[in-house]
Amino acid sequence: MSAKELEICEALVSGLSTRQCAERAGCATSTVDTYRKRVYEKTGIHKVRQLQLCVALMRMEQQEKQ
């Protein structure tokens, strides 16, 4: 994933709305929707809750490597 996709992913996982994500990232809500779509396509995920679980698992995996 690109840095911007990861940024949007983190914002969505933290519970921010699309508008809040856009404000935080300094972009339009349509841009956030595009990044979300790309993240979902790359991960095979289609819901924020699934994304939250995926990110939690990735974080656990990174911690184990340290």
Side-chain angles (χ1 to χ4, degrees):
M1 277 190 256
S2 72
K4 202 62 157 177
E5 289 168 345
L6 287 173
E7 178 184 349
I8 297 301
C9 180
E10 289 289 336
L12 292 169
V13 166
S14 70
L16 296 180
S17 69
T18 300
R19 187 172 71 202
Q20 291 169 322
C21 290
E23 289 171 0
R24 179 189 252 184
C27 61
T29 56
S30 60
T31 304
V32 171
D33 289 336
T34 299
Y35 283 124
R36 178 187 309 158
K37 181 181 175 186
R38 288 181 189 166
V39 168
Y40 286 176
E41 287 173 352
K42 289 179 179 183
T43 60
I45 290 172
H46 304 288
K47 295 182 181 181
V48 173
R49 181 66 182 138
Q50 292 172 329
L51 187 61
Q52 289 171 327
L53 293 171
C54 180
V55 168
L57 289 172
M58 289 186 333
R59 287 177 180 161
M60 286 174 53
E61 189 175 275
Q62 287 177 345
Q63 288 177 351
E64 288 177 1
K65 290 181 181 180
Q66 294 177 355

